[in-house]
Amino acid sequence: MKPKWKKLYPDTYSLKDKGPAGNVLMFLLVGSQKALLIDSGYGLLDLPKRIREVTDKPVILVNTHGHLDHANGSWQFEEAYLRSEDTEIYQKHAAPEFLRESFAKMSDDEEAKNRLAAMTAASPAKVKPLDEITEIDLGNRKIQILHMPGHTKGSVTYKVDNNLFCGDVLF
C-alpha cells in the first residue's frame, strides 16, 4: 500500500517513507506562491508526482540533514538544499554502491527495484548549500532556518507557524 499524505493543519502535510533504517516523515508546507518540501526520504517514492496530489505550486526542497533516510530523494529535484557540513555524509549515503548495499534486502517489488535503478543512476544529486539562507518565503508563510548541529554537524530545524520541523535533531 502506497503511503498517503496526512493533513496536519491547513496547508501542512506529512508523508511517511519506509526503508532500511526504519520510517521517516517528510513534510510539505504550501504557501500562496510556493511550496516547501522538508526532507526527501529514501528516494524510492516518486515525490514530484506525490507532491502534485497536493499542490501544483513550484517546490523548494530542503533537507534537515544528509543521512540516507532524509536526503536521498534529492535526486528527483533540480534543486535541493543542505548545509555544507553534511555534504560529505550525503555524498557517502547517495553513492550507488552504498544505495545498492542499503537496499539489498528490499522485497521483490519491481517498481521499487526500477526506482532504485533510477536513483543509483542519478545519485548523488547536486545539492546547494543552505548555509547563508536564514529564511524562505512561500508567499504568505515564512520559514525560519535554524542551524542545530548535534545529530549531524549540518542538522537544520525549520520553524514555521510556531512549529518546528527537525528531522532527527531531537534524537
Side-chain angles (χ1 to χ4, degrees):
M1 184 171 158
K2 291 187 179 186
K4 295 183 182 190
W5 289 105
K6 178 179 179 182
K7 188 172 187 173
L8 302 175
Y9 54 95
D11 297 320
T12 305
Y13 305 84
S14 68
L15 183 68
K16 187 188 300 185
D17 197 6
K18 296 179 180 181
N23 294 336
V24 65
L25 290 175
M26 296 167 278
F27 298 95
L28 183 64
L29 312 176
V30 182
S32 61
Q33 297 175 1
K34 300 175 189 169
L36 182 75
L37 180 64
I38 299 173
D39 284 341
S40 56
Y42 287 100
L44 295 179
L45 294 176
D46 184 343
L47 290 176
K49 181 179 178 181
R50 301 304 304 273
I51 290 167
R52 296 299 164 234
E53 296 169 3
V54 175
T55 184
D56 60 355
K57 293 185 169 85
V59 177
I60 301 165
L61 168 62
V62 293
N63 294 297
T64 57
H65 63 288
H67 284 158
L68 166 76
D69 53 336
H70 289 266
N72 272 43
S74 296
W75 69 274
Q76 299 174 74
F77 297 84
E78 286 183 36
E79 293 184 348
Y81 291 89
L82 180 72
R83 282 204 52 104
S84 59
E85 295 93 339
D86 271 18
T87 301
E88 187 176 328
I89 191 124
Y90 168 71
Q91 298 276 337
K92 177 185 173 191
H93 283 212
E97 311 79 44
F98 186 90
L99 293 171
R100 282 190 284 275
E101 185 178 311
S102 296
F103 291 101
K105 295 180 183 175
M106 224 170 43
S107 69
D108 293 330
D109 181 349
E110 278 306 309
E111 182 180 348
K113 286 183 179 182
N114 291 336
R115 299 280 306 157
L116 178 60
M119 180 172 43
T120 55
S123 284
K126 290 183 181 178
V127 290
K128 292 184 172 187
L130 191 60
D131 305 10
E132 302 301 319
I133 303 170
T134 58
E135 186 176 85
I136 296 173
D137 187 353
L138 302 180
N140 62 332
R141 295 176 93 178
K142 292 186 192 243
I143 289 78
Q144 185 179 2
I145 302 168
L146 308 168
H147 180 209
M148 298 184 75
H151 180 65
T152 65
K153 291 178 184 176
S155 288
V156 175
T157 294
Y158 301 93
K159 182 180 179 192
V160 61
D161 305 327
N162 293 317
N163 292 297
L164 298 175
F165 298 89
C166 58
D168 292 339
V169 79
L170 295 179
F171 295 113

